[in-house]
Amino acid sequence: MIVLYLALLASGVGLFVLSYVAPFRVAALLRRRYPQHWQVIVTAAQGRLSGFRTWARMQQILRSPALPALGDTAIDRWRLVWRYSQWLGWLCWLAALAMRLWLH
């Protein structure tokens, strides 16, 4: 049982790390494969965006239907990793918590 508990905790951490890394991978792929689209994301009406605003715009882009419209399988795959790894990470952690409460 302890092995399952630790596996759930480690899986949760790994999935949360994936949800953190995925937007950076999508941004790197966009910069390399679609530089004109990347410029639209990074450039604001008043000039260039700060790091936080770029991150916030990336979160909006990841939620929008614009990325699947590109038809790039690598970008779509990282977008799906970003979308579902957060939920699966919480599910793993809640399952580990339920195990701990159930066994004690």
Side-chain angles (χ1 to χ4, degrees):
M1 281 303 214
I2 190 76
V3 173
L4 179 61
Y5 174 74
L6 292 175
L8 284 170
L9 288 177
S11 298
V13 168
L15 287 164
F16 284 131
V17 167
L18 269 178
S19 74
Y20 177 75
V21 169
F24 292 106
R25 289 297 307 145
V26 170
L29 289 170
L30 279 172
R31 268 192 303 264
R32 189 173 62 237
R33 295 181 184 176
Y34 305 99
Q36 67 280 9
H37 297 301
W38 179 250
Q39 286 304 317
V40 171
I41 294 169
V42 179
T43 308
Q46 293 86 15
R48 297 199 50 86
L49 293 174
S50 67
F52 176 75
R53 286 187 178 206
T54 302
W55 176 83
R57 296 261 319 243
M58 259 324 279
Q59 297 299 309
Q60 290 175 344
I61 295 298
L62 286 167
R63 289 182 181 92
S64 78
L67 289 180
L70 293 174
D72 192 325
T73 56
I75 290 175
D76 290 341
R77 187 174 34 245
W78 278 106
R79 182 177 173 265
L80 289 174
V81 165
W82 171 79
R83 173 173 254 163
Y84 294 116
S85 61
Q86 299 172 32
W87 292 102
L88 291 173
W90 280 111
L91 186 66
C92 287
W93 277 22
L94 291 174
L97 179 65
M99 259 184 74
R100 185 170 172 92
L101 294 174
W102 181 55
L103 292 176
H104 287 319

